[in-house]
Amino acid sequence: MRQFTEDTLTDAVVARLARCEDPRFKEVMSALIRHVHAFVREVELGEAEWLAAIQFLTATGQACVGDRQEYILLSDVLGVSMLVDAINHRKPGGATESTVLGPFYAEGAPELPAGADISHGGPGEPTEVRGRVLTPEGKPIAGAVLDVWQTAANALYSTQDPKQDRFNCRGRFRSGADGGFFFRTVKPVSYPVPTDGPVGKILNAMGRHPMRPAHLHFIVSAPGYEPVATHLFVKGDPYLDSDVVFAVKNSLIVDFKPKPDGNTLEATYDFGLKPADRKSAA
Ligand code: BEZ
Ligand code: FE
C-alpha cells in the first residue's frame, strides 16, 4: 500500500518492522509506535503543539551538559523512573526497597572510617546515622559498602555548587563484622530539583512545585547480593506526600531523633540485601 489514512497509518508503520531481527526491540518499538499514535489521536495534537513538543525535547537534550542530565530529570518528574524501578525491583520481604537514583550521584567518593563526618563540620544540624546491613533472614553482612550522598545545608549537591569540594557530603563506608555502620553528617534538608531548564518550565506550566522531601541517598552493595539504590527520608518533612519525583516509600521514612545530649540528632536504619541469584518475588 502506498497511501495511508488516519485509520490505516499506525498498522502500516508497525508492519515496516517485519524484517527486524531483534524480537525484544521489535516488541518495544511496535508498542511505542502504537502508544504514540494513540496519544496523538486522543488529544488531536495540533501542529503548533507538535512543534512545541519537538522544541521542548531539543532543549532537554541541549541542557544535558557535563554533570547535568535533564532527560533523567524529565523521566523522574513524569514518574517514569519510579515505574521502571517498581517493575525491576519487586523485592522479597526483608530486602530494603529501592527508589530513584537521581542525577546527582558522583562515582569515586572516598572510603571513610566509621564515624567520619561527610559534612566536614559544615553548617546544619549535626546528625549521627547508624544501623546494620542484613540478609533477608536478619544475618549480618560484613564488608558491605554504603555509598552515601546528600546536599549540603544550602540545599545543593557538591556537583551543582562550585563552592563545594567535589566529594563534600559524600562518602563510602564499610559494614563491620556485625553488619554495623556509622557515620556523621548534618540533617538533610528539602530542596528543589533544578528549575532553570526545560523541566523546570514544564513543571511550572503543569502547576507543580519542584520540591523533594529531605533525604539521604545510599547505594548499598556486597559481594553475592543485589545492590540497592535507595534513600532514607526524614520523618515529618512537609514534602513527603508530594515529592516531585514520586520516590517516597513508607518503609524508608526515618525519625531523626534528638540524642540525650540535646545537640545531635540520631537516625537508625537496618538495610536488607537479597542474594544476587534470588529471583524477584511475585
Ligand atoms: C535526587 O534525589 O538527587 C534527585 C532525584 C530525582 C531528580 C532530581 C534529584
Ligand atoms: Fe537527592
Side-chain angles (χ1 to χ4, degrees):
M1 208 199 290
R2 177 180 293 170
Q3 183 172 322
F4 306 101
T5 67
E6 205 177 307
D7 294 328
T8 61
L9 186 60
T10 305
D11 284 343
V13 178
V14 171
R16 294 275 171 100
L17 279 113
R19 285 205 290 274
C20 177
E21 284 177 4
D22 179 335
R24 175 64 180 162
F25 185 63
K26 187 174 180 177
E27 179 189 359
V28 170
M29 284 309 297
S30 301
L32 178 68
I33 292 161
R34 287 196 189 285
H35 283 273
V36 173
H37 282 221
F39 158 75
V40 170
R41 273 193 196 91
E42 180 182 327
V43 301
E44 300 222 333
L45 197 68
E47 284 173 323
E49 292 169 333
W50 172 84
L51 187 59
I54 298 288
Q55 285 166 340
F56 171 77
L57 294 173
T58 304
T60 301
Q62 286 166 343
C64 297
V65 178
D67 281 323
R68 182 148 181 180
Q69 229 307 346
E70 196 79 356
Y71 267 114
I72 293 185
L73 186 59
L74 179 61
S75 163
D76 294 340
V77 304
L78 295 181
V80 176
S81 306
M82 282 309 293
L83 189 54
V84 172
D85 177 76
I87 289 166
N88 284 274
H89 299 285
R90 294 176 182 132
K91 304 270 178 172
T96 295
E97 290 191 281
S98 54
T99 194
V100 67
L101 178 70
F104 298 119
Y105 176 63
E107 251 178 71
E111 184 163 339
L112 301 172
D117 177 4
I118 60 170
S119 76
H120 306 285
E125 288 183 74
T127 299
E128 294 180 0
V129 183
R130 52 170 60 79
R132 289 172 305 160
V133 184
L134 304 171
T135 66
E137 293 75 33
K139 298 211 173 82
I141 302 176
V145 174
L146 299 102
D147 202 336
V148 185
W149 69 106
Q150 69 171 91
T151 65
N154 67 358
L156 292 173
Y157 285 94
S158 58
T159 47
Q160 294 175 286
D161 180 4
K163 294 202 182 92
Q164 291 180 49
D165 180 86
R166 179 156 180 86
F167 292 118
N168 189 41
C169 291
R170 298 173 190 267
R172 281 183 299 143
F173 295 88
R174 222 170 257 278
S175 62
D178 60 350
F181 68 90
F182 167 46
F183 63 93
R184 292 184 171 84
T185 185
V186 286
K187 186 184 180 191
V189 293
S190 8
Y191 66 84
V193 299
T195 53
D196 57 344
V199 172
K201 282 200 191 115
I202 209 172
L203 279 175
N204 191 39
M206 288 190 286
R208 288 175 53 184
H209 74 66
M211 297 301 292
R212 294 225 57 213
H215 58 271
L216 259 168
H217 290 261
F218 288 84
I219 299 175
V220 185
S221 58
Y225 293 86
E226 224 179 73
V228 65
T230 194
H231 299 4
L232 296 184
F233 293 94
V234 177
K235 187 175 164 188
D237 187 281
Y239 296 105
L240 284 172
D241 290 325
S242 63
D243 182 3
V244 66
V245 301
F246 309 94
V248 176
K249 293 186 175 169
N250 289 334
S251 67
L252 303 175
I253 299 174
V254 176
D255 205 357
F256 282 59
K257 289 190 231 163
K259 283 187 66 171
D261 70 6
N263 301 318
T264 313
L265 300 173
E266 157 172 70
T268 303
Y269 191 83
D270 290 343
F271 291 94
L273 295 184
K274 68 174 180 177
D277 57 354
R278 189 181 293 186
K279 288 286 166 244
S280 298

